[in-house]
């Protein structure tokens, strides 16, 4: 089992990351990847998202979430990559990739990782818009999403 | 000569970290404090009593999350062995 957690300012290439995850292995039958992209508001007023994080806690929190996923599903490899800093609409913000022998494990584990990243990884988003800046509020739906895994 | 009262718990200073709008309201990202607070709630009361910036940052505790030594805890979480305490709003990752 290979687990990788990466935090970076720079953009990334999902297919390069996915290739690196499975390169040289023949025990993987399924890879699921999810890529999150900064979406503009309907009126086009979003200038950028600013991602703040708590570096000392982030790795620990993500590693704990990943090891929980590993305990629940038969994963052979996984990647959590999250950017921080200033990110513009249309740019990639994060990705997860899960690799397993069969697709069900990879699909479910990827959803699980996403649900936990939303409300258990120490990141905070601030929106810079044409009419000012404000912190994004946590959505009840994101917290509720964790309920299905308990 | 340095004397320590026998009933004073021996503990080093605690490093406090603030994130997102809690950081903005307090005005600094981190600081180090000496406290005798035994749990998170007592520490928050102590901080909120300092001045308006702290009082405002901690005015709605339903919107405050806390990590002690980088692990999430409840507001009644113990500060025993605490070296680093972080205060922040609900997380919005992903």
């Amino acid at each position: 089992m290979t687990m990788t957690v990466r935090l970076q300012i720079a953009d990334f290439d999902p297919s390069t990351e996915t290739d690196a995850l499975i390169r040289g292995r023949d025990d993987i039958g399924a890879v699921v990847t999810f890529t999150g992209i900064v979406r503009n508001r309907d009126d086009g007023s979003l200038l950028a998202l600013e991602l703040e994080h708590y570096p000392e806690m982030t790795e620990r929190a993500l590693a704990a979430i990943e090891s929980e996923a590993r305990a629940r599903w038969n994963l052979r490899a996984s990647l959590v990559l999250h950017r921080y800093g200033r990110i513009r609409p249309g740019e990639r913000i994060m990705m997860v990739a899960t690799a397993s022998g069969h697709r069900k494990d990879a699909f479910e584990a990827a959803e699980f990782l996403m649900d936990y990243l939303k409300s258990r990884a120490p990141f905070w988003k601030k929106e810079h818009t044409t009419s000012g800046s404000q912190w994004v509020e946590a959505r009840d739906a994101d917290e509720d999403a964790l309920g299905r895994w308990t | 000569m340095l004397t320590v009262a026998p009933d004073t718990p021996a503990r080093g200073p605690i490093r406090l970290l603030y994130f997102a709008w809690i950081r903005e309201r307090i005005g600094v990202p981190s600081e180090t404090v000496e406290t005798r607070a035994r749990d998170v709630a007592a520490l928050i009361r102590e901080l909120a009593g300092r001045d308006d910036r702290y009082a405002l940052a901690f005015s709605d505790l339903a919107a405050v999350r806390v990590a002690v030594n980088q692990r999430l805890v409840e507001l009644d979480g113990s500060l025993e062995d605490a070296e680093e305490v972080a205060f922040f709003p609900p997380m919005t990752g992903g």
Side-chain angles (χ1 to χ4, degrees), chain A residues 52 54 60 123-124 126 135, chain B residues 20 23-24 69 84 89 92 94:
Chain A
E52 179 170 333
Y54 176 5
R60 170 172 285 189
F123 291 92
W124 300 275
K126 190 175 198 176
W135 291 97
Chain B
R23 168 179 57 73
E24 291 179 340
N69 298 344
E84 182 172 292
T92 52

Side-chain angles (χ1 to χ4, degrees), chain A residues 13-142:
Chain A
D13 175 22
S15 57
T16 304
E17 301 295 340
T18 308
D19 287 349
L21 196 67
I22 61 174
R23 186 178 303 133
R25 303 182 59 154
D26 62 5
D27 61 332
I28 289 169
V31 181
V32 168
T33 67
F34 172 88
T35 305
I37 296 159
V38 175
R39 186 184 67 249
N40 208 331
R41 294 172 161 202
D42 290 344
D43 64 2
S45 62
L46 183 68
L47 301 173
L49 268 192
E50 195 177 326
L51 265 286
E52 179 170 333
H53 76 128
Y54 176 5
E56 298 87 343
M57 180 175 168
T58 311
E59 300 226 15
R60 170 172 285 189
L62 293 181
I65 293 166
E66 257 193 330
S67 69
E68 174 74 24
R70 186 175 53 168
R72 287 168 176 245
W73 292 282
N74 189 359
L75 287 181
R76 304 264 161 90
S78 66
L79 166 72
V80 173
L81 195 166
H82 211 301
R83 292 178 67 192
Y84 60 94
R86 205 175 168 92
I87 306 172
R88 285 174 304 188
E91 287 187 26
R92 287 177 281 264
I93 181 170
M94 55 84 62
M95 75 172 283
V96 302
T98 49
S100 56
H102 302 280
R103 70 178 185 279
K104 193 163 184 283
D105 291 290
F107 271 124
E108 290 185 5
E111 276 215 277
F112 172 89
L113 287 176
M114 279 311 307
D115 283 347
Y116 273 80
L117 275 169
K118 281 275 176 194
S119 48
R120 291 290 183 276
F123 291 92
W124 300 275
K125 295 186 182 115
K126 190 175 198 176
E127 290 180 330
H128 296 289
T129 74
T130 50
S131 57
S133 301
Q134 63 275 320
W135 291 97
V136 174
E137 288 200 33
R139 297 167 64 235
D140 288 342
D142 289 335

Side-chain angles (χ1 to χ4, degrees), chain B residues 11-33:
Chain B
R11 181 171 68 196
I14 298 182
R15 180 171 160 79
L16 304 182
L17 301 176
Y18 309 115
F19 293 96
W21 54 259
I22 292 180
R23 168 179 57 73
E24 291 179 340
R25 287 183 184 180
I26 291 174
V28 295
S30 65
E31 62 185 318
T32 300
V33 299

Side-chain angles (χ1 to χ4, degrees), chain B residues 1 4 6 10 15-16 20 26-27 38 42 49-50 52 59 64 71 90:
Chain B
M1 184 168 152
V4 176
R15 180 171 160 79
L16 304 182
I26 291 174
R38 290 170 172 273
R50 277 182 173 182
D52 289 350
S59 59
V64 175
R71 289 180 203 279

Side-chain angles (χ1 to χ4, degrees), chain B residues 4-87:
Chain B
V4 176
D7 60 342
T8 303
R11 181 171 68 196
I14 298 182
R15 180 171 160 79
L16 304 182
L17 301 176
Y18 309 115
F19 293 96
W21 54 259
I22 292 180
R23 168 179 57 73
E24 291 179 340
R25 287 183 184 180
I26 291 174
V28 295
S30 65
E31 62 185 318
T32 300
V33 299
E34 300 277 354
T35 179
R36 291 190 183 190
R38 290 170 172 273
D39 61 24
V40 171
L43 176 60
I44 289 177
R45 279 196 300 276
E46 199 174 292
L47 291 169
R50 277 182 173 182
D51 65 39
D52 289 350
R53 295 173 305 148
Y54 290 90
L56 181 64
F58 294 113
S59 59
D60 177 14
L61 292 184
V64 175
R65 300 288 179 272
V66 187
V68 172
N69 298 344
Q70 292 123 35
R71 289 180 203 279
L72 282 175
V73 299
E74 300 295 322
L75 289 180
D76 60 359
S78 168
L79 290 181
E80 195 182 354
D81 303 323
E83 293 176 4
E84 182 172 292
V85 180
F87 297 98

